[in-house]
């Protein structure tokens, strides 16, 4: 499928003329590009004619996207329509005159086909909604929403409840210790029913209030238990209604709902990323209004992408009830990941697609699928290759979110157009929008450098969870340490924290460029994270100014070696059984512990498993051929049975056993038996029946 480009200088506000159109067309390989002045108005027929064909149409404008989409619908266009913002991101800046190479790169990115489809996660909501909060807030909102939703109310504070009888238009419960789990269409809510009066059954006849001699029942139908003597007059007065039951006090209640509107002062689900279908606007009236409007649209069947892929066999979470790597569990802000024995469990209904788990995963067991690493690699190659072909130099990739990140960049571009107080995006900074900024990590960052980028930056706003920012900075430190160790000068990995256009402009002005490889890489990225890193690191090393055998890395790096205390190691091979990555191996021919450094992900399972505490992690990255081969960490002379001469252990293991068990009653009289294999030990015990035996004496049974 060929591509047609529709360019416009937006009423002359961008430095794009016909000469620029010729240069862009030459770089993009599509002939001279016509540059319109008002493509969305008087010249819109140029787009209309191209929509009649089957070629992909790339429009260099996002400002009037709705107008072009409407035109495509009216024309029943079959041509795919794609939009690229070359105004705020390239030409509306102080360096707009030098942004031709970036404009070409952005347009080339617009020619990329859609990412491969991913499986979907389904939700079904029938509108069963629970509103939680004080009576003063929850009851009015229930009355507003009952025409649109099937509403129930859970009062965790009776303040504000009217003493006058209220019609039973919706169920009303009361209680404390409220707990919520689940997601849209499947929320399980539990609470403690502390009030003996069931507000759902109560008809507000006030008979109980009149009958109570202690006046322990308020006009809000709450029993003050410290006043109540439980004589039962209220129960009798309630009669067949059956709304009062003191046995119900402190009973746990449980119900399932599709949607939750939490009006509590503090959200009952305190995650940075709450589950879909849960709204917690708090006391803010405008927030409550927005949540009320949003919740009415959450009835029906919904789908979202399954953002991740999980390869269980690569997971280094645990072995034999020992925990190794828990990076994904620790970083997830949605509570979607939990331990499940030796593996992890990711709930796709709770996952919001941030991708931080895939960024911190050392083994690649968790991979981001929306889009995949190979697709992002093709985008990076296309963008950086086109930028270089157009004569650009020292490109910096700016990863940002498609929501707040894009909005902030657009605001900066508009301010740069109107004022000289801000400069806008520099001509060498190429923005790439992501579903979430935490979804790319060290593999893609280093790939960008290998493809010719002079650096990468990640823009975070206030939409990212704090632990995501920490994780990104930690991963950047690792990547930068590798590049610096290889002799690539300058700062390559930078994190930008900005919430305003002014703050973003200041941060962009301070970005620095690093040295790139002399020759850009040409390989494609793999879906396997470790394979991608192998290719990328090999390319960076081959073209590096320095050729170190190894580079020391910070703690928590996904590469490294093992230090072993050979005096303590008994070659029991517990570490071999615990290693999930085949980095540790034994030998069939001799008592040997072998290690392949390339396979090690520094999960620490071997360290946690070793009974002798003989192992320690050594975070580093080695570039020698020896790192790819099995090396012997420790070996020992095999010990042979003194009776049958069959090897059954190591000399060090037997010496260790003799030292520890020499004072044990079962062996102190015959230490030579410890030098026998299991079979010979049994034979020797049966052949020496005359040996004294130690038995436990029990007191005689009572008569």
């Amino acid at each position: 499928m060929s591509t047609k480009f529709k360019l416009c200088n937006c009423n002359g506000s961008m430095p794009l003329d016909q000469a620029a159109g010729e240069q862009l067309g030459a770089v993009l390989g599509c002939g001279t590009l016509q540059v319109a002045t008002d493509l969305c108005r008087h010249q819109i027929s140029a787009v209309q004619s191209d929509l009649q064909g089957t070629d992909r149409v790339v429009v260099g404008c996002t400002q009037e996207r709705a107008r072009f989409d409407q035109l495509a619908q009216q024309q029943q266009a079959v041509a795919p329509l794609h939009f690229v913002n070359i105004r705020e991101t390239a030409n509306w800046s102080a360096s707009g005159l030098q942004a031709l190479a970036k404009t070409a790169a952005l347009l080339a990115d617009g020619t990329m086909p859609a990412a491969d489809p991913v499986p979907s996660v389904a939700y079904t909501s029938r509108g069963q909604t629970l509103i939680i909060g004080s009576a003063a807030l929850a009851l009015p909102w229930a009355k507003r929403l009952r025409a649109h939703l099937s509403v129930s109310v859970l009062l965790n504070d009776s303040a504000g409840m009217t003493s006058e009888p209220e019609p039973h238009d919706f169920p009303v419960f009361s209680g404390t210790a409220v707990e919520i789990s689940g997601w849209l269409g499947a929320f399980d809510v539990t609470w403690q029913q502390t009030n003996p009066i069931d507000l759902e059954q109560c008809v507000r006849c006030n008979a109980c209030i009149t009958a109570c001699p202690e006046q322990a029942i308020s006009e809000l139908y709450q029993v003050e238990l410290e006043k109540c003597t439980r004589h039962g007059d209220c129960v009798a007065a309630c009669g067949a209604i059956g709304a009062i039951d003191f046995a119900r006090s402190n009973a746990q209640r449980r119900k399932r709902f599709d949607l939750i509107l939490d009006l509590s002062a503090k959200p009952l689900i305190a995650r940075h990323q709450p589950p879909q279908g849960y709204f917690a606007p708090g006391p803010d009236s405008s927030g409550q209004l927005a949540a009320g409007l949003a919740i009415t649209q959450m009835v029906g069947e919904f789908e979202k992408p399954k953002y991740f892929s999980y390869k269980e066999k690569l997971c280094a979470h645990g072995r034999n009830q020992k925990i190794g790597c828990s990076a994904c569990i620790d970083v997830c802000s949605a509570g979607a990941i939990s331990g499940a024995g030796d593996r992890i469990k990711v709930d796709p209904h709770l996952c919001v697609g941030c991708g931080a788990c895939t960024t911190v995963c050392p083994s690649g067991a968790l991979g981001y699928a929306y889009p995949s690493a190979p697709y992002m690699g093709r985008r990076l190659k296309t963008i950086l290759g086109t930028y270089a072909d157009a004569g650009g130099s020292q490109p910096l990739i700016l990863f940002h979110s498609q929501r707040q990140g894009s909005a902030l960049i657009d605001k900066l571009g508009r301010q740069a157009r109107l004022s000289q107080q801000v400069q806008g995006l520099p001509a060498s900074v190429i923005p790439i929008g992501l579903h979430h900024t935490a979804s790319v990590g060290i593999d893609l960052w280093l790939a960008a450098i290998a493809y010719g980028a002079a650096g990468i930056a990640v823009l975070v706003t206030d939409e990212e969870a704090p632990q995501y920012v920490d994780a990104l900075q930690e991963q950047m430190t690792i990547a930068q340490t590798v590049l610096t160790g290889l002799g690539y000068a300058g700062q390559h990995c930078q994190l930008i924290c900005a919430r305003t256009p002014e703050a973003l402009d200041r941060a962009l002005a301070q970005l620095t460029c690093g040295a790139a490889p002399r020759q850009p890489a040409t390989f494609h990225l793999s879906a396997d994270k470790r394979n991608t890193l192998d290719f990328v690191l090999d390319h960076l090393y081959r073209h590096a100014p320095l050729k170190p055998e190894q580079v020391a890395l910070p703690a928590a790096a996904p590469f490294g070696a093992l230090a072993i205390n050979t005096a303590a190691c008994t070659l029991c091979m517990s570490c071999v059984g615990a290693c999930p990555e085949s980095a540790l191996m034994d030998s069939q021919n001799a008592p040997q512990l072998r290690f392949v450094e390339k396979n090690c992900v520094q999960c620490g399972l071997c360290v946690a498993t070793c009974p002798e505490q003989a192992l320690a992690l050594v975070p580093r990255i080695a570039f020698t051929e020896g790192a790819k081969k099995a090396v012997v960490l420790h070996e020992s002379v095999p010990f042979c049975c003194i009776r049958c001469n069959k090897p059954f252990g190591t000399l060090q293991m037997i010496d260790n056993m003799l030292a520890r068990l020499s004072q044990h009653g079962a062996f102190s009289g015959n230490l030579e038996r410890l030098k026998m294999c299991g079979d010979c030990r049994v034979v020797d015990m049966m052949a020496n029946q005359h040996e004294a035996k130690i038995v436990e004496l029990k007191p005689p049974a009572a008569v």
Side-chain angles (χ1 to χ4, degrees), residues 332-520:
C332 181
S333 70
I337 309 177
S338 58
D342 291 344
R343 301 291 185 263
I344 61 166
K345 178 182 178 182
V346 187
D347 197 317
H349 291 91
L350 291 175
C351 175
V352 295
C354 63
C357 57
T358 67
T359 294
V360 300
C361 178
S363 66
L366 278 170
Y368 199 68
Y370 189 74
S372 65
Y375 180 83
M376 286 300 301
R378 292 194 294 272
R379 284 190 68 186
L380 288 170
K381 283 186 66 177
T382 299
I383 289 171
L384 291 168
T386 305
Y387 182 87
D389 291 343
S393 62
Q394 294 189 308
L396 284 135
I397 298 296
L398 176 63
F399 293 108
H400 62 87
S401 75
Q402 294 171 338
R403 289 164 294 184
Q404 293 190 25
S406 289
L408 188 58
I409 289 173
D410 287 352
K411 288 180 182 178
L412 176 61
R414 288 192 288 271
Q415 287 193 21
R417 164 66 179 160
L418 298 173
S419 170
Q420 295 182 350
Q421 300 301 315
V422 296
Q423 301 299 303
L425 257 65
S428 61
V429 176
I430 307 172
I432 296 182
L434 305 169
H435 179 70
H436 200 287
T437 51
S439 64
V440 296
I442 186 172
D443 51 340
L444 283 167
W445 300 336
L446 291 179
I449 306 300
Y451 287 147
I456 65 97
V458 178
L459 169 62
V460 296
T461 59
D462 56 1
E463 66 181 318
E464 287 86 3
Q467 62 264 39
Y468 292 174
V469 179
D470 294 340
L472 287 170
Q473 187 61 71
E474 182 180 81
Q475 295 291 309
M476 283 188 171
T477 300
I478 296 170
Q480 186 60 56
T481 302
V482 172
L483 291 167
T484 302
L486 292 175
Y488 290 101
Q491 186 73 20
H492 297 79
C493 303
Q494 296 158 91
L495 189 66
I496 297 176
C497 300
R499 294 179 175 84
T500 65
E502 294 78 12
L504 175 58
D505 196 63
R506 290 192 297 270
L508 290 171
Q510 296 173 5
L511 284 179
T512 59
C513 292
R518 296 185 298 272
Q519 179 179 334

Side-chain angles (χ1 to χ4, degrees), residues 305-317:
K306 183 182 178 185
Y307 299 103
F308 65 92
S309 61
Y310 177 51
K311 300 175 183 176
E312 184 177 291
K313 66 179 181 179
L314 298 179
C315 185
H317 174 60

Side-chain angles (χ1 to χ4, degrees), residues 150-169:
S150 178
V151 175
S152 299
V153 174
L154 174 55
L155 302 178
N156 54 14
D157 182 358
S158 60
M161 184 188 296
T162 177
S163 60
E164 299 178 359
E166 298 176 351
H168 260 179
D169 294 329

Side-chain angles (χ1 to χ4, degrees), residues 576-632:
V576 174
C579 181
E581 308 300 331
S582 299
L584 284 167
M585 299 174 290
D586 59 4
S587 173
Q588 296 181 352
N589 302 319
Q592 288 183 340
L593 177 63
R594 300 186 299 160
F595 177 66
V596 181
E597 184 169 341
K598 172 182 172 292
N599 294 347
C600 182
V601 298
Q602 299 282 285
C603 65
L605 273 169
C606 56
V607 176
T609 301
C610 179
E612 312 299 338
Q613 298 181 341
L615 296 173
L617 299 177
V618 182
R620 72 181 192 187
I621 184 165
F623 296 99
T624 61
E625 284 298 315
K628 302 176 183 179
K629 301 176 182 178
V631 297
V632 177

Side-chain angles (χ1 to χ4, degrees), residues 564-571 610-615 634 652 656 660:
I564 183 168
N565 181 353
T566 55
C569 176
T570 62
L571 289 174
C610 179
E612 312 299 338
Q613 298 181 341
L615 296 173
H634 183 39
Q652 189 170 358
N656 194 24
R660 293 188 180 188

